Amino acid sequence: MWRLSLLILAAAAGLVAVATIGFYFYERPTTLRVAVPHGSEYQKLLVILNQEFVRSHEDIRLRIVPTTDETAASKTISEDHADLAVVRSDIPMPTNAATALILAHYSVVIVAPPGKTFANFSELKGRTIGVVETEMSGEANRRLLQTIESQYSIGPGEIKAIGVAPNNLAKFLRGRQIDALFVFGPFDSPQVSGPVKIVSESGAASGAPVFVPILEASALAERFPGLDATQILRGAFGGSPSRPPENISTIGATVRLVARNDLDNSTVGETTRLILADRALAAATVPITNHIEAPSTDKGEVLPTHPGAAAFLDGEEETFFDKYSDMIYIGAMVASVLISGLATLASRLTVSGFARFDQLMEKALTILKSGRKADSLETLAKLEIQIDEILTRSLAAAEMPKLDNHQLAALTLAVQQARLAIADRRSELGGRLPSVRPHDR
C-alpha cells in the first residue's frame, strides 16, 4: 500500500506542478516589440502607453524598437524583427501585417508665399518645391511628391525638389529659393501648421498665402490604394481672411499601427482595447493621441484590419472557454486516462494483496486439517513452523493490504484452530515436540 500511496502522491505533485507552470505562463505579461521612428511623437506616445500598462498591471507590455523612419519600421516588421510597427499607408505596407489602429490621417499641404498664383499642382512644373523633412518622413515625402507628379505626367527633374528643415524654412523663403512648400501631416499639428504660418508671414504685406490644390486627387487615390482623396477645409489654418479661403482638394494617407498576421488574435485585440482605453490619459502629454481611431472592419478594405482588432471592435472576441476549449477537453481526457490508470493499478495491487490473504487463509485451513491427521511428531513440528510463517506474513505491510476487523478475526481464528489441532494431535501421539532441522522445513 505504501507504494501505491507514493505513486498517487507523485502523480498529484506532477499535476500541481504542471498546473502551476501553466498558470505562471498564462499570467505572465506579453511583451510586444514595436518598431517606430526614433524621436517621433509616436515613440513618445508608445512609451507613455507602456508606462500606463505597467502601472495598471495589464497583461501587455511594449518594447520600443527605434528605426530611422516609417519605411525602416515597415521593413523591420516585414523581417519579423518586430511584432507591431508604426507605418504610413503611402509607403509599401508590410505583407505579413494588418492594421490594428489608425493613429492619424495625414494630408498633403502645398502652400506658396503671397503673390504667387497656382491654380493646380500641374502649374508647378518647372518650379522649385521645398519638401519639409521631419523625423518621420525621411525620403517618404519626396517619393509621395513623385507619385503626385506621375498623375500629371511630370517627368523626373521637371519639378525641382529640395529638402527643407523646419528651422531653415524662413531663410529659404527670404532668399526666394523655393516657389512653394510641400508639407505632409495632420493639418492641425505643429509639423504642418508651423510651416504654413511661416510661409504666411513671409509676405504678409503682399496678401494671403496661396494653397495649391490637387484637383485630380480622387483619380490619384484610385491608382494608389494607400492614398485617400481629401480636402483642406476652409479656414483650417485660421486667419482673417480665412486660410485657405475655400476648401482645397488634396491627397492624404494614414499612419497606422500594424500587427503581424501570425500574432495571437486575443493579444492584438487586447492591445487595441488598452490603447483606445488609455488614449485620453496620453493625450495630455502627446496631443497627437487625439487622432487615434478604430479602423474599418469591412471585409473589402484595401488595407485590411487584423482579425484580432476586428474581433474586439465588433464585439466578437473569444471567451476564455472559446479560446481554450480544445485544451480543456484534451486536458480532461488526459486526466481521465491518468486517473483510470491509477485506479486500475490500485485495483491490481489491492486484488493482489487480498489474493495473498486468501492464499494464507486457505493454507491455515489446510494445516488445520493436516494437523488432525498427522501421523508423526515430526509432521506436527513442520506444520507448526508453517503456522508461524503465516502469522509473520499476515503482519508484514508489504505482503498484505490493510485488513478489516472481520478478515483479521477470521485469519486469527484459523491460526488458533490450527495450533489447537496440532496440540491435540501431539497429545494423542503422546510425544514432545522433536527438534526439526532447517532442511526438514
Side-chain angles (χ1 to χ4, degrees), residues 347-391:
S347 175
R348 289 184 177 180
L349 291 173
T350 302
V351 169
S352 176
F354 283 114
R356 184 62 177 157
F357 163 75
D358 291 340
Q359 291 173 2
L360 293 178
M361 189 69 177
E362 183 178 356
K363 188 172 183 179
L365 295 175
T366 301
I367 293 172
L368 173 61
K369 295 178 182 178
S370 299
R372 296 189 184 280
K373 299 177 181 179
D375 55 3
S376 67
L377 296 177
E378 287 80 2
T379 300
L380 291 173
K382 291 178 182 179
L383 292 175
E384 194 158 22
I385 291 174
Q386 292 176 19
I387 283 292
D388 291 339
E389 291 177 351
I390 291 174
L391 182 61

Side-chain angles (χ1 to χ4, degrees), residues 58-366:
E58 302 292 353
D59 294 333
I60 301 296
R61 299 289 187 272
L62 303 177
R63 181 162 65 84
I64 305 301
V65 180
T67 62
T68 53
D69 54 29
E70 288 158 320
T71 303
S74 179
K75 183 178 180 181
T76 300
I77 198 170
S78 294
E79 296 175 349
D80 289 334
H81 297 316
D83 304 301
L84 306 171
V86 175
V87 300
R88 266 171 44 176
S89 64
D90 62 305
I91 64 175
M93 295 285 285
T95 58
N96 65 332
T99 303
L101 283 170
I102 293 176
L103 300 181
H105 287 272
Y106 278 22
S107 300
V108 171
V109 178
I110 302 174
V111 59
K116 302 288 184 179
T117 55
F118 300 112
N120 193 10
F121 180 86
S122 58
E123 297 181 10
L124 291 172
K125 186 176 181 178
R127 304 288 185 145
T128 299
I129 294 182
V131 180
V132 175
E133 297 179 341
T134 66
E135 73 279 357
M136 291 286 287
S137 65
E139 292 296 318
N141 284 355
R142 294 200 187 199
R143 288 198 296 270
L144 179 56
L145 175 60
Q146 293 169 1
T147 299
I148 299 171
E149 291 172 357
S150 70
Q151 174 65 34
Y152 294 93
S153 299
I154 298 175
E158 291 187 290
I159 290 180
K160 183 179 180 181
I162 58 176
V164 178
N167 56 354
N168 289 329
L169 177 56
K171 182 177 70 174
F172 276 86
L173 291 169
R174 286 194 302 270
R176 300 182 182 276
Q177 295 173 262
I178 58 175
D179 297 296
L181 187 69
F182 181 100
V183 189
F184 188 61
F187 76 88
D188 59 346
S189 67
Q191 72 187 74
V192 174
S193 60
V196 169
K197 182 179 180 182
I198 293 174
V199 173
S200 300
E201 294 173 348
S202 67
S206 306
V210 176
F211 290 87
V212 183
I214 303 174
L215 299 179
E216 288 73 23
S218 296
L220 189 59
E222 286 292 327
R223 292 179 57 200
F224 300 95
L227 298 177
D228 301 309
T230 185
Q231 289 186 327
I232 305 171
L233 299 180
R234 180 178 184 270
F237 299 103
S240 181
S242 299
R243 300 194 298 261
E246 59 185 11
N247 293 348
I248 301 295
S249 295
T250 188
I251 202 75
T254 51
V255 175
R256 297 173 176 244
L257 179 69
V258 298
R260 283 203 340 257
N261 292 328
D262 59 355
L263 202 59
D264 186 72
N265 286 348
S266 62
T267 299
V268 178
E270 180 65 4
T271 303
T272 302
R273 183 190 72 80
L274 290 174
I275 293 176
L276 290 175
D278 292 336
R279 59 183 169 177
L281 294 172
T285 306
V286 187
I288 202 170
T289 308
N290 291 315
H291 293 273
I292 295 177
E293 64 182 57
S296 171
T297 57
D298 291 344
K299 302 296 183 183
E301 285 294 306
V302 175
L303 302 177
T305 298
H306 194 285
F312 163 71
L313 296 171
D314 292 338
E316 298 176 355
E317 286 184 293
E318 291 182 326
T319 64
F320 177 87
F321 288 103
D322 290 334
K323 182 178 179 182
Y324 295 104
S325 59
D326 289 343
M327 294 179 61
I328 293 172
Y329 178 72
I330 293 172
M333 290 181 61
V334 171
S336 176
V337 171
L338 181 60
I339 292 172
S340 297
L342 290 174
T344 301
L345 180 60
S347 175
R348 289 184 177 180
L349 291 173
T350 302
V351 169
S352 176
F354 283 114
R356 184 62 177 157
F357 163 75
D358 291 340
Q359 291 173 2
L360 293 178
M361 189 69 177
E362 183 178 356
K363 188 172 183 179
L365 295 175
T366 301

